Amino acid sequence: MRLLKLLSVTFLAAAVLAAIAILPARLCFKGAESYAFFTGDTSKDFSEVKAQTDAAVKRLTLSAVNGECAEYSEIDLDALLKSVNGKVIRTEKLSDSVNYYCKADLPYSVKLYGEEINLHVSVRENGVKVASPIIFGGY
């Protein structure tokens, strides 16, 4: 019986350590100042769920996740693209922002402009919003 308890405690400790190592890797973006998840499968049940503390833990509590979004005060676009094997497909310059629609090695995608888009980066004077597949809900 003692052996069984010892094995159980050892297994539980190993599982916790593995979760600590694996959870951050499940997020699309690292080092964000704020993080959100897009849930639901249609516009009827769409929701943006903000991660108030640890985004990796929040991700575990959600179902039907169809995208992720991160906000930064600034970002190195070339470094971001390199980190996700990304390529800019279309650039859109607006009066208050520049938007980059990209193909990247990310788990979410939408068809946009006749292309599969996995990454959307919106650069504004006051910050940068990065999402996969695209920024939903406006910015």
Side-chain angles (χ1 to χ4, degrees):
M1 192 65 163
R2 288 182 97 180
L3 180 60
L4 185 58
K5 283 184 181 180
L6 180 61
L7 286 174
S8 296
V9 169
T10 302
F11 177 77
L12 182 61
V16 168
L17 290 175
I20 289 170
I22 293 170
L23 284 177
R26 291 195 65 205
L27 298 177
C28 290
F29 311 109
K30 301 196 181 353
E33 294 157 18
S34 68
Y35 213 91
F37 299 95
F38 304 127
T39 62
D41 59 1
T42 66
S43 60
K44 183 175 87 175
D45 66 352
F46 170 82
S47 180
E48 182 177 0
V49 180
K50 300 218 182 254
Q52 300 299 330
T53 54
D54 189 354
V57 172
K58 183 66 172 180
R59 172 69 175 89
L60 287 176
T61 67
L62 301 172
S63 61
V65 173
N66 290 316
E68 300 179 27
C69 184
E71 291 189 52
Y72 304 89
S73 56
E74 60 183 3
I75 199 163
D76 179 340
L77 181 60
D78 291 331
L80 171 66
L81 291 172
K82 186 175 182 180
S83 75
V84 295
N85 194 28
K87 175 184 170 191
V88 175
I89 301 302
R90 184 180 182 114
T91 303
E92 199 176 62
K93 294 180 182 181
L94 304 173
S95 63
D96 64 346
S97 63
V98 178
N99 289 278
Y100 302 92
Y101 297 92
C102 314
K103 284 188 180 184
D105 291 338
L106 292 168
Y108 312 103
S109 67
V110 294
K111 203 77 154 161
L112 194 62
Y113 305 116
E115 299 274 357
E116 184 176 299
I117 300 297
N118 307 79
L119 174 65
H120 178 191
V121 180
S122 182
V123 180
R124 290 183 158 197
E125 187 176 309
N126 63 344
V128 180
K129 198 167 196 178
V130 177
S132 179
I134 61 170
I135 299 168
F136 293 107
Y139 178 54

